Amino acid sequence: MSTYNEQAKPKVTTALLRKMKQNGEKIACITSYDYTMATIADAAGADFILVGDSASNVMMGNETTLPITLDEMITYAKGTVKGAKRAMVVVDMPFGTYQADPLTALHSAVRIMKETGASAVKMEGGEEIRESIEKVLCAGIPVCGHLGLTPQSVNKFGGYGVRAKEDAEAERLINDARMLEELGCFAVVLEKIPSGLAARVAKEVSIPVIGIGAGSDVDGQIIVIQDMLGMNKGFKPKFLRVYADMFEAMGNAVGQYVSDVKDVTFPNANEQY
Ligand code: KIV
């Protein structure tokens, strides 16, 4: 396998991400929830690996991100951190672990940092969680914001449609992005919003803007690894590019193994002691 990391690039930090934005170098982000996927993403040159609460869907089979717990996120993050040698690992704070009050947010974020060795956390929301973000930042924990479609609020939105199409919501989103920058967040994810709005935010704030379903005029992109590998058959939103059919490839390999076991062609003489 040819690896982007063969060029011995420096370990990714919040400062490096900011420099990449300043230099116009796009930031490639991807999710991972385990050691093996993290080694693949890291060796392939991903700059930023997110242990997303999308683990609730793709790892646990839940319909939403709401049920996943802090303990479960910490387990997924521990394996991911071990596999990421160069990439920066950021961990989603799951639903209910930061919205209630700043102290709860701080305790949750401290657990993530202490128990996983990750470099930062991500929190969904703007003005409504300002105090929680401030408290976490005060402890020296880097925070990535997340605006637009924030899946933890799916019940409020009533679905996973495109956000901020109307002027009032777009204006609120711009103000929230400015607030995240002023508070000291190191980056912000913009999910499923009009590309023109995302481009405007990326121009107006100095912190990296990472898009998913937000067009190309932002500072980087993020994608769920199972989705781009074609492992998640039924999921085909407009913004998704599928780079492989791993459902088929892995299914064929497992099917061949099953058939080899049944007709006793595995193991052969060279595959035993
Ligand atoms: O949980 C997740 O994977 C995310 C990304 C889609 C941004 O938040």
Side-chain angles (χ1 to χ4, degrees), residues 125-170:
E127 187 58 44
E128 68 280 13
I129 56 158
R130 168 199 272 267
E131 289 174 6
S132 290
I133 294 173
E134 276 176 324
K135 193 75 179 168
V136 172
L137 286 167
C138 277
I141 300 172
V143 175
C144 177
H146 183 155
L147 302 171
L149 174 62
T150 46
Q152 292 176 16
S153 300
V154 62
N155 292 305
K156 180 173 107 183
F157 297 148
Y160 295 100
V162 179
R163 302 305 312 173
K165 288 197 284 193
E166 309 298 331
D167 288 352
E169 192 179 339

Side-chain angles (χ1 to χ4, degrees), residues 51-70:
V51 184
D53 60 356
S54 48
S56 180
N57 311 93
V58 297
M59 301 300 285
M60 303 178 74
N62 295 316
E63 279 194 9
T64 72
T65 58
L66 274 63
I68 199 163
T69 66
L70 187 55

Side-chain angles (χ1 to χ4, degrees), residues 51-189:
V51 184
D53 60 356
S54 48
S56 180
N57 311 93
V58 297
M59 301 300 285
M60 303 178 74
N62 295 316
E63 279 194 9
T64 72
T65 58
L66 274 63
I68 199 163
T69 66
L70 187 55
D71 285 340
E72 287 160 347
M73 287 299 297
I74 285 172
T75 300
Y76 291 128
K78 278 181 179 170
T80 302
V81 168
K82 289 190 192 116
K85 302 295 176 229
R86 171 185 170 267
M88 177 172 173
V89 178
V90 181
V91 181
D92 257 339
M93 294 184 63
F95 177 65
T97 66
Y98 60 95
Q99 295 94 340
D101 61 81
L103 263 189
T104 307
L106 178 60
H107 289 314
S108 307
V110 165
R111 273 201 66 198
I112 289 172
M113 301 300 283
K114 266 186 186 294
E115 296 178 37
T116 72
S119 301
V121 297
K122 177 164 84 56
M123 295 155 86
E124 292 184 8
E127 187 58 44
E128 68 280 13
I129 56 158
R130 168 199 272 267
E131 289 174 6
S132 290
I133 294 173
E134 276 176 324
K135 193 75 179 168
V136 172
L137 286 167
C138 277
I141 300 172
V143 175
C144 177
H146 183 155
L147 302 171
L149 174 62
T150 46
Q152 292 176 16
S153 300
V154 62
N155 292 305
K156 180 173 107 183
F157 297 148
Y160 295 100
V162 179
R163 302 305 312 173
K165 288 197 284 193
E166 309 298 331
D167 288 352
E169 192 179 339
E171 223 36 62
R172 258 199 318 277
L173 187 144
I174 291 167
N175 290 337
D176 279 341
R178 287 198 191 110
M179 181 206 77
L180 295 174
E181 177 190 28
E182 273 163 29
L183 291 182
C185 290
F186 73 90
V188 58
V189 169

Side-chain angles (χ1 to χ4, degrees), residues 31 33 50 52-54 92 122 146 189 191 212 222 224:
T31 67
Y33 319 97
L50 175 69
D53 60 356
S54 48
D92 257 339
K122 177 164 84 56
H146 183 155
V189 169
E191 181 165 352
I212 174 165
I222 187 160
V224 171

Side-chain angles (χ1 to χ4, degrees), residues 21-38:
K21 169 165 179 142
Q22 286 161 358
N23 294 341
E25 183 184 349
K26 297 288 184 188
I27 301 166
C29 315
I30 197 158
T31 67
S32 165
Y33 319 97
D34 65 30
Y35 171 77
T36 306
M37 283 289 201

Side-chain angles (χ1 to χ4, degrees), residues 4-5 9-13 16-17 20 25-30 41-42 44-50 84 86-90 219-221:
Y4 190 69
N5 273 353
K9 293 195 122 202
K11 199 161 166 48
V12 181
T13 60
L16 183 61
L17 293 177
M20 287 169 77
E25 183 184 349
K26 297 288 184 188
I27 301 166
C29 315
I30 197 158
D42 189 75
D47 299 305
F48 168 142
I49 295 180
L50 175 69
R86 171 185 170 267
M88 177 172 173
V89 178
V90 181
D219 306 305
Q221 300 291 329

